[in-house]
């Protein structure tokens, strides 16, 4: 999208079910797992560019040897940097003893990162600073092998304060208030409790401490640990965890907000945030990769056996629709089809704006991620032109003039690449005036694609969130082509509400649709609605999370979607623009028709899938009303 927003993270998990010697013999390398983890992470690079991390665990380590290895980076090239470091460490071990190259078991204990459990993470910093400590995986370490815990995930909890207070109530003194730490410590607490339960039980039965450790490795009840831990979670999450002795899990939230897919065969169990990543890394067909059921966990035991277990009762599925509009890679079979449908769906509104004048209209897209929805838009316009051609041919009568017939048949939608992003241009200047001038030149235009003063120019984007880049850069750039009219199309509906589940849209006042609604309320002398919403939000501040409702919906209630779109167009159009400007948004109905399996539309409708979302939106409104430029979660 032209407005850069940070969003959902990426997850990659691999469990090797055979001894490392098997992979060396069959695939030519004991590092098979690391190679596949690298592929899974690179194929999900779109999901996180603020940092990355890798953790591995070796099964059955001899006492006195390291068995948990972790590497993280906040570099721009974090994935490459991490794997370069990993392979340097392995290379050093091979240099010291070249015979390790043909002895995978000795290599495993001599070199770091040569293990059976592998976990990778890609981070977008929607919360917290871009510091190494905020990168996943996070660890909870212990000398007791079954109490070690490594966690990484794609998640955001809306009730961090409650989770933090729960930890305090059981006697902990957490060192930070982040959702990552509260999740790690909550799961870690119940992991400790399960260890204590099994240890106490088997002490009574006369087993020695060393025997009990082996028993715990076999009998640890991961399902029970997750049930007790997750019962208080409110948010969207796909969490992966590795336990020191070799058990592992991947847990998905009950509403299916965050995506997670998995695959297993006799060699591996693998999970990731995106289906195509698994397909590509392991050369699989689409129906071989499974979606993890909401509210369930994929649990892999130390012995390699696995099962999908229900942890929390599933709620109505509200999978994130932004995944389909923008976040997920367009190479997914269903995502591609849905983005085509999104592009088709906005065409009636576009035709209305250009007065059905397809012969004098140029179509394009900004940025590249909107390319697939542009194809959909073009396909629908081709169908519309076919109807126009049919009508005109029939009007020619039974003996048409060949020249006129050829002219009609030659009609087709005019697609042009009107804008190219200059990846080398960096807006490093902090002075607002100079920086805005740089922003205005982030894109280069293709001169000669539009006939000055004659053509309409229709440009489709994934979504319009804040509209900052549109106002400061894109409209000014497009106006240099001198079109008669510029129509900016959003394949997503109006983003009216903040997200609380992992997308960087926590400040209500940043949203172009909210700014437009407030502007209209003031223009129509309905400021009392603003005051009333504020009073109702304040009345809910101290109420339990389950009693909160979205009071901010009333800000939009007096106006139609078309009125708000028109006002957004006015607010985002720079005064120096010569062309007429219109903004067209996807309808809610169009979104649901295009993406029927992903009904998580709270950013557009305000219908949050968990009670915590309602609290986030109310807090966001209070922050805006009180002039606080802070996040609502």
């Amino acid at each position: 999208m032209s407005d850069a927003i940070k969003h959902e993270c990426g997850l990659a998990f691999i469990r090797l079910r055979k001894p490392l010697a098997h992979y060396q013999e069959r695939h030519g390398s004991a590092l098979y797992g690391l190679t596949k983890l690298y592929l899974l992470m690179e194929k999900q690079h779109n999901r996180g560019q603020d940092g990355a991390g890798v953790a591995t665990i070796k099964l059955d380590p001899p006492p006195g040897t390291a068995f948990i290895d972790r590497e993280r980076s906040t570099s721009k090239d974090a994935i490459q940097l991490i794997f370069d470091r990993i392979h340097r460490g392995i290379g050093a071990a091979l240099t010291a003893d070249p015979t390790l190259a043909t002895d995978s078991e000795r290599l495993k204990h001599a070199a770091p990162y040569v293990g059976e459990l592998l976990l990778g993470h890609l981070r977008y910093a929607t919360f917290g600073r871009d510091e190494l400590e905020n990168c996943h995986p996070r660890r909870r370490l212990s000398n007791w092998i079954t109490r070690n815990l490594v966690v990484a995930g794609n998640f955001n909890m809306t009730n961090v304060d409650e989770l933090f207070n729960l930890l305090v109530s059981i006697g902990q003194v957490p060192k930070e208030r982040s959702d990552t730490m509260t999740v790690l410590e909550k799961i870690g607490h119940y992991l400790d409790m399960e260890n204590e339960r099994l240890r106490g039980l088997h002490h009574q039965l006369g087993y020695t401490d060393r025997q009990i450790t082996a028993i715990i490795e076999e009998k640890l009840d991961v399902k029970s640990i997750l049930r007790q831990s997750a019962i208080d979670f409110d948010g969207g999450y796909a969490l992966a965890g590795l336990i020191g002795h070799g058990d592992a899990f991947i847990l998905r939230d009950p509403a299916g907000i965050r995506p997670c897919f998995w695959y297993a065969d006799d060699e591996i169990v693998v999970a990731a945030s995106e289906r195509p990543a698994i397909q590509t890394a392991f050369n699989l067909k689409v129906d071989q990769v499974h979606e993890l059921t909401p509210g369930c966990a994929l649990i892999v035991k130390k012995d390699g056996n696995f099962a999908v277990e229900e942890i929390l009762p599933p709620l109505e599925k509200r999978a994130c629709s932004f995944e389909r509009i923008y976040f997920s890679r367009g190479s997914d079979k269903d995502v591609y089809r849905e983005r085509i449908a999104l592009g088709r769906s906005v065409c009636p509104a576009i035709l209305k704006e250009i007065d059905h004048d397809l012969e004098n209209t140029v179509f394009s897209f900004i940025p590249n991620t909107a390319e697939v929805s542009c194809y959909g838009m073009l396909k629908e316009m081709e169908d519309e032109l076919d109807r126009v051609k049919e009508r005109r041919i029939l009007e020619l009568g039974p003996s048409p003039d060949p020249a006129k017939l050829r002219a009609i048949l030659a009609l087709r939608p005019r697609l042009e690449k009107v804008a190219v992003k200059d990846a080398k241009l960096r807006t490093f200047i902090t002075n607002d005036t100079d920086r805005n001038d740089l922003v205005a030149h982030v894109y280069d235009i293709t001169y000669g694609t539009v006939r000055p003063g004659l053509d309409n120019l229709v440009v489709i984007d994934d979504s319009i969130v804040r509209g900052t880049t549109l106002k400061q850069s894109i409209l000014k750039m497009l106006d240099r082509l001198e079109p008669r009219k510029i129509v900016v199309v959003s394949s997503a509906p109006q983003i009216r509400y903040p997200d609380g589940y992992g997308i960087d849209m926590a400040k209500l006042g940043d949203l172009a649709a909210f700014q437009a609604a407030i502007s209209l309320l003031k223009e129509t002398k309905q400021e009392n609605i603003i005051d009333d919403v504020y009073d109702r939000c304040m009345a809910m501040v101290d109420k339990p999370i389950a009693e909160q409702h979205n009071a901010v919906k009333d800000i939009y209630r007096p106006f139609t979607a078309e009125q708000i779109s028109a006002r957004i167009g006015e607010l985002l159009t720079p005064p120096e623009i010569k062309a007429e400007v219109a903004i067209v948004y996807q309808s809610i109905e169009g979104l649901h028709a295009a993406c029927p399996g992903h009904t998580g539309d709270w950013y557009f409708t305000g219908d949050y899938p968990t009670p915590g979302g309602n609290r986030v939106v109310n807090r966001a409104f209070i922050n805006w009303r009180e002039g606080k430029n802070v996040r609502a979660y």
Side-chain angles (χ1 to χ4, degrees), residues 244-310:
H245 67 285
D247 285 358
F249 62 85
I250 300 91
L251 173 65
R252 192 179 184 197
D253 67 85
I257 296 170
R258 295 279 75 86
C260 190
F261 298 87
W262 66 278
Y263 166 78
D265 59 26
D266 63 339
E267 289 190 317
I268 55 155
V269 180
V270 57
S273 296
E274 296 204 30
R275 181 170 60 184
I278 300 177
Q279 286 183 253
T280 299
F282 295 93
N283 192 25
L284 301 171
K285 293 184 169 65
V286 66
D287 57 359
Q288 292 178 278
V289 182
H290 312 285
E291 182 179 2
L292 184 57
T293 306
C296 291
L298 173 63
I299 297 174
V300 188
K301 295 295 290 178
K302 180 189 174 183
D303 62 9
N305 289 320
F306 65 91
V308 174
E309 301 279 4
E310 183 176 301

Side-chain angles (χ1 to χ4, degrees), residues 319-391:
C320 173
S321 57
F322 249 126
E323 281 284 342
R324 322 310 277 181
I325 297 166
Y326 171 68
F327 296 151
S328 291
R329 291 171 71 94
S331 57
D332 183 275
K333 172 188 171 185
D334 293 334
V335 171
Y336 184 86
R337 174 178 50 80
E338 290 165 13
R339 289 182 185 172
I340 291 288
L342 288 169
R344 282 184 175 273
S345 181
V346 289
C347 286
I350 296 172
L351 288 167
K352 182 179 177 181
E353 286 293 343
I354 63 173
D355 198 24
H356 291 259
D357 185 7
L358 290 172
E359 295 171 68
N360 297 303
T361 299
V362 172
F363 296 93
S364 194
F365 56 90
I366 299 177
N368 288 343
T369 49
E371 186 175 6
V372 177
S373 60
C374 182
Y375 291 159
M377 175 178 67
L378 214 63
K379 289 174 186 289
E380 187 65 26
M381 292 304 179
E382 287 171 351
D383 292 346
E384 173 65 16
L385 262 181
D386 284 345
R387 291 186 283 270
V388 171
K389 291 177 184 180
E390 180 182 4
R391 185 176 66 252

Side-chain angles (χ1 to χ4, degrees), residues 470-506:
L470 189 62
K471 183 172 185 176
Q472 293 181 356
S473 173
I474 292 175
L475 285 173
K476 293 177 182 178
M477 171 197 69
L478 296 178
D479 194 54
R480 295 204 297 272
L481 294 172
E482 300 182 58
R484 178 162 53 92
K485 184 175 186 177
I486 300 171
V487 181
V488 179
V489 183
S490 169
S491 68
Q494 296 168 2
I495 298 171
R496 298 182 170 195
Y497 304 95
D499 181 65
Y501 306 108
I503 303 173
D504 185 21
M505 296 189 301

Side-chain angles (χ1 to χ4, degrees), residues 443-468:
Y443 287 91
D444 288 331
I445 54 170
T446 308
Y447 292 97
T449 53
V450 173
R451 294 176 296 179
L454 180 62
D455 286 333
N456 303 306
L457 178 56
V458 175
V459 177
I460 192 166
D461 195 351
D462 307 289
S463 64
I464 301 170
V465 185
R466 306 178 183 99
T468 307

Side-chain angles (χ1 to χ4, degrees), residues 185-229:
E185 289 299 332
K186 197 159 191 289
I187 297 174
H189 170 72
Y190 287 106
L191 176 62
D192 287 344
M193 296 286 286
E194 175 66 2
N195 270 268
E196 291 296 333
R197 182 186 73 82
L198 290 171
R199 185 166 296 278
L201 174 64
H202 289 88
H203 260 307
Q204 294 177 13
L205 296 175
Y207 290 93
T208 66
D209 286 335
R210 290 195 67 176
Q211 289 173 324
I212 289 173
T213 294
I215 291 170
I216 293 174
E217 290 186 11
E218 178 187 349
K219 295 190 175 183
L220 194 76
D221 191 344
V222 178
K223 180 179 178 181
S224 175
I225 293 168
L226 294 177
R227 277 186 170 170
Q228 295 176 85
S229 304

Side-chain angles (χ1 to χ4, degrees), residues 20-32:
L20 295 182
H22 167 85
Y23 305 95
Q24 183 155 12
E25 180 180 344
R26 182 170 180 181
H27 300 286
S29 174
L31 306 183
Y32 173 81

Side-chain angles (χ1 to χ4, degrees), residues 37 53-57 69-71 113 117-120 137 150 242:
L37 185 70
V54 166
T56 63
I57 287 182
D69 295 302
R70 181 183 65 168
E71 185 69 61
Y113 300 99
L117 286 81
L118 305 97
L119 180 59
V150 180
L242 312 180

